[in-house]
Amino acid sequence: MQTKTILITGATSGIGLQLAKHNVALGHQVIITGRNQAKLDQVVADLGVKAYLADSADLSQLASLGKSLQDEGITLDGVVLNAGVFYPSSFMDATPEHFDDTMTINTRGPFFTLQALQPCLANPSSVVFISSIVVQKGFAGAAVYSASKAAFEAVIRVLNVELASAGVRINSIRPGITATEIHSKAGMDEETQAAVFDSLKTTPLGRELRADDHIGSIQYLLDDASKALRNVTIEVDGGYCL
């Protein structure tokens, strides 16, 4: 197997961290980003990966990330745009600040992250965006989050045309409800989370999704087996949307 260099944004927890562990086990060179230096340092100590502080809301840090990789002569075979936030709010309670914060991190963030990384992308290379089933499934309190993910999926369609000559392909996965830290960060207490996960026993999968349930689909999109795919979205929802 050819060793590859993979960069994963937001990889100090959840799906991103699980994917980093998987690729280290495969023997790939893994680079991670995050916005908390202490968490980055812990993952570096645990996995031996290379890490950069890069908050998706901070354009100067994103530009610095790209420049650092170029200065170090690093070529990326794959990029996983995983960093994102979920701030639930009903339509009537949403504020301009809430809207801007979500769009800044979930849409502007991956847009300018990829722009900064483009000079480092190999030809060919694969980019995978971690979207969400909220793009097609309505959830109360998720209007802005849904818009932020759908907006970048629209960007991907265009970038597959613009970056084709550079050998870059971009695809997405849409995770269903997954047991990661995103729920507690969104303000859900343990009792509420347990109730949500319990309701998923009626899905064909029969349980909530876990971070490692998404790794196979992401890895397929990173690997050469998917080299003919462009603008594909793989829904990993355990049958929730059936």
Side-chain angles (χ1 to χ4, degrees), residues 82-163:
N82 169 71
V85 295
F86 173 42
Y87 302 133
S89 172
S90 69
F91 171 67
M92 293 305 297
D93 290 335
T95 63
E97 292 76 19
H98 163 255
F99 186 96
D100 290 345
D101 287 347
T102 300
M103 298 300 288
T104 291
I105 295 173
N106 290 358
T107 308
R108 192 185 75 167
F111 187 102
F112 286 104
T113 296
L114 190 54
Q115 187 185 79
L117 296 178
Q118 196 280 329
C120 302
L121 295 178
N123 184 353
S125 59
S126 174
V127 177
V128 182
F129 174 57
I130 308 304
S131 186
S132 171
I133 60 167
V134 299
V135 172
Q136 68 158 359
K137 172 72 175 178
F139 292 89
V144 180
Y145 181 63
S146 176
S148 70
K149 293 295 188 178
F152 196 75
E153 283 196 19
V155 169
I156 288 172
R157 184 177 296 106
V158 177
L159 296 188
N160 269 307
V161 176
E162 291 192 6
L163 301 181

Side-chain angles (χ1 to χ4, degrees), residues 168-191:
V168 179
R169 69 182 189 275
I170 312 175
N171 298 288
S172 305
I173 73 159
R174 291 178 180 168
I177 299 173
T178 306
T180 68
E181 293 87 340
I182 195 169
H183 302 288
S184 58
K185 290 178 180 177
M188 294 174 62
D189 59 31
E190 291 185 4
E191 183 178 355

